[in-house]
């Protein structure tokens, strides 16, 4: 009550005290250093590894991404003036629009270490710029048009970022700062979701969920091929969602067929695996899919809230997860990616976070 009364008093007399504060700033400026933001993936006191001891651990929980709380502010010298200004300008954090993930859909990590996350509820792309210590939010699909349902995201040529907006039914191209460069797929795509890119051939793969196929564009945005059609046979799809291109292979979550299909770079089917079932390791609603540099395949099983790990032959190895909000648990997870250090990022959609795990390698 006292704090609220004092705040109302300051607001009423703000014009009168503002000049005094400006004068005070001259005296305090010399003792105040610029604010520096430091990025960290929020850890947990609960150390978790998979599988549990005494088996040899293969994966370790690293932490989570939620938004601006992943950036800490450090100042070499604090000042009362700085605190007063923040208090007056923000009037408490409750009046601020916090930069937090709401319903993350997909994740990518570029070569500079930036982590970009699409958020279908926030209708934006979150850019966690690790090196610069900045969090920015891209809200505009193109000049004058906001994102509606951004889902897939992948790196393009020359550092570009490609985003699939399912409702706008096109792929948007941006530079590294989120500036609009162009688009592809207008009047061709029906509901684009997953994205993947072959960096050698310069081909962009788009899961067109409503059309039940994978459309292939070149870097110039021209449609050059279409993989599959609606069906249950090999090389056919039923509502494909997420994609990845790793180890010169294209991985497709054939979601409503409850399986993963793997193609070579030319579009030839190499293998498919997975089936519906009641057991952990079955694929009922597979979403995100990717592979690490040792060939391990990671699949987000959204129906039962698990991250499932398979070997390169499609043999089930290990589950991580289960329904919940705790460490290593999920609630309707969606996309996934693996970075250059074999860190695994899982978009834990209804928990509003990205959980991060470290692959520890084949150690004996």
């Amino acid at each position: 009550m006292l704090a609220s009364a004092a705040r109302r008093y300051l607001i009423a007399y703000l014009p009168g005290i503002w000049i005094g504060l400006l004068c005070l700033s001259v005296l305090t400026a010399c003792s105040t250093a610029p604010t520096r933001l430091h990025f960290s993936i929020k850890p947990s006191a609960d150390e978790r590894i998979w599988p549990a001891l005494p088996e040899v651990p293969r994966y370790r929980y690293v932490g989570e991404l939620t938004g601006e709380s992943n950036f800490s502010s450090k100042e070499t010298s604090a000042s009362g003036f700085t605190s007063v200004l923040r208090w007056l300008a923000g009037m408490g954090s409750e009046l601020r629009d916090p930069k937090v993930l709401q319903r993350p859909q997909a994740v990518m990590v570029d070569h500079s270490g930036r982590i970009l996350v699409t958020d279908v509820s926030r209708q934006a792309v979150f850019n966690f710029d690790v090196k610069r210590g900045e969090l920015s939010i891209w809200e505009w699909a193109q000049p004058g048009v906001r994102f509606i349902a951004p889902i897939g995201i992948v790196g393009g040529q020359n550092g570009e970022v490609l985003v699939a907006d399912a409702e706008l039914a096109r792929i948007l191209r941006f530079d590294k700062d989120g500036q609009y460069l162009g688009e592809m797929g207008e009047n061709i795509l029906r509901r684009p979701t997953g994205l993947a890119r072959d960096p050698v051939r310069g081909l962009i793969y788009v899961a067109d969920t409503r059309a039940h196929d994978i459309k292939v564009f070149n870097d110039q945005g021209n449609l050059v091929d279409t993989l599959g059609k609606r069906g249950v046979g090999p090389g056919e799809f039923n509502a494909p969602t997420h994609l990845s291109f790793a180890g010169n292979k294209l991985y497709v979550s054939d979601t409503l067929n409850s399986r993963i299909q793997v193609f070579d770079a030319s579009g030839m089917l190499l293998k498919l695996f997975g089936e519906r079932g009641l057991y952990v390791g079955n694929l009922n609603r597979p979403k995100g899919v990717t592979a690490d540099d040792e060939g391990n395949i990671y699949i987000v099983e959204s129906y039962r809230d698990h991250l499932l790990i398979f070997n390169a032959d499609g043999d089930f190895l290990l589950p991580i997860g289960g329904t919940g909000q705790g460490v290593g648990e999920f609630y309707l997870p969606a996309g996934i990616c693996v970075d250059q250090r074999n860190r695994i990022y899982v978009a834990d959609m209804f928990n509003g976070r990205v959980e991060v795990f470290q692959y520890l390698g084949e150690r004996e």
Side-chain angles (χ1 to χ4, degrees):
M1 294 293 292
L2 290 176
S4 298
R7 188 172 298 179
R8 288 196 299 269
Y9 175 86
L10 282 175
I11 293 173
Y13 292 94
L14 185 60
I17 65 173
W18 187 250
I19 295 176
L21 288 172
L22 289 177
C23 294
L24 179 62
S25 69
V26 176
L27 300 176
T28 60
C30 295
S31 63
T32 303
T35 299
R36 295 180 182 273
L37 293 178
H38 298 262
F39 172 81
S40 65
I41 297 175
K42 292 196 301 184
S44 169
D46 184 9
E47 175 74 11
R48 293 292 305 275
I49 54 175
W50 292 268
L53 297 172
E55 296 188 57
V56 177
R58 305 296 185 187
Y59 297 89
R60 177 174 59 86
Y61 176 81
V62 173
E64 65 181 21
L65 303 176
T66 57
E68 61 186 354
S69 62
N70 291 102
F71 296 83
S72 62
S73 177
K74 296 183 179 181
E75 297 181 33
T76 58
S77 177
S79 76
F81 174 70
T82 302
S83 299
V84 170
L85 278 185
R86 287 177 179 168
W87 188 77
L88 286 172
M91 294 320 232
S93 59
E94 70 275 6
L95 297 183
R96 227 169 24 88
D97 182 20
K99 297 179 180 179
V100 294
L101 292 170
Q102 296 178 9
R103 295 290 184 264
Q105 280 282 334
V107 193
M108 67 161 280
V109 181
D110 70 10
H111 291 293
S112 70
R114 292 190 312 163
I115 306 164
L116 294 103
V117 184
T118 57
D119 191 318
V120 72
S121 175
R122 185 63 172 77
Q123 297 178 304
V125 175
F126 280 65
N127 172 20
F128 294 83
D129 196 323
V130 177
K131 290 185 178 180
R132 297 175 63 180
E134 295 177 357
L135 173 61
S136 58
I137 299 179
W138 303 352
E139 297 179 313
W140 296 96
Q142 61 187 74
V145 178
R146 291 181 178 273
F147 286 113
I148 300 177
I151 298 182
I153 187 167
V154 73
Q157 65 176 341
N158 302 322
E160 292 181 6
V161 176
L162 309 177
V163 179
D165 192 299
E167 291 297 324
L168 293 176
R170 66 196 69 176
I171 309 303
L172 293 313
R173 298 173 47 236
F174 304 91
D175 68 14
K176 62 182 180 62
D177 298 316
Q179 298 299 310
Y180 174 78
L181 296 176
E183 61 187 58
M184 63 184 74
E186 185 177 9
N187 299 321
I188 297 174
L189 298 167
R190 296 180 61 186
R191 185 174 177 81
T193 52
L195 282 178
R197 180 174 179 269
D198 177 353
V200 175
R201 299 188 178 203
L203 296 177
I204 300 159
Y205 301 90
V206 184
D208 196 346
T209 301
R210 190 166 291 161
H212 307 284
D213 60 26
I214 309 299
K215 292 184 171 68
V216 187
F217 296 82
N218 60 23
D219 279 333
Q220 291 70 47
N222 302 311
L223 181 67
V224 296
D225 199 1
T226 300
L227 305 180
K229 62 179 182 178
R230 187 168 194 172
V232 297
E236 298 176 336
F237 305 104
N238 188 5
T241 54
H242 292 257
L243 308 175
S244 71
F245 193 89
N248 211 34
K249 297 174 184 177
L250 175 68
Y251 296 83
V252 181
S253 273
D254 189 6
T255 300
L256 293 189
N257 278 332
S258 300
R259 65 189 182 186
I260 300 298
Q261 300 201 59
V262 186
F263 300 82
D264 67 14
S266 66
M268 180 177 295
L269 180 65
L270 298 176
K271 62 175 169 283
L272 54 83
F273 62 95
E275 60 182 1
R276 296 180 183 89
L278 301 176
Y279 302 102
V280 174
N282 292 138
L283 301 181
N284 293 291
R285 289 292 184 272
K287 291 289 186 69
V289 60
T290 192
D292 63 27
D293 59 14
E294 293 187 11
N296 298 302
I297 302 170
Y298 303 93
I299 303 169
V300 173
E301 214 303 288
S302 64
Y303 186 77
R304 297 193 182 276
D305 300 314
H306 273 93
L307 168 60
L308 303 178
I309 300 136
F310 296 76
N311 65 17
D313 295 322
D315 301 319
F316 178 53
L317 300 177
L318 180 72
I320 294 175
T323 305
Q325 299 177 337
V327 170
E329 296 176 332
F330 307 103
Y331 184 18
L332 288 178
I336 189 171
C337 78
V338 175
D339 70 9
Q340 297 90 338
R341 296 184 292 173
N342 276 340
R343 278 188 169 182
I344 302 109
Y345 300 75
V346 180
D348 188 10
M349 184 170 60
F350 269 64
N351 279 328
R353 64 186 180 182
V354 173
E355 290 201 86
V356 186
F357 305 86
Q358 178 67 61
Y359 175 52
L360 302 176
E362 293 297 327
R363 300 177 300 145
E364 297 294 344

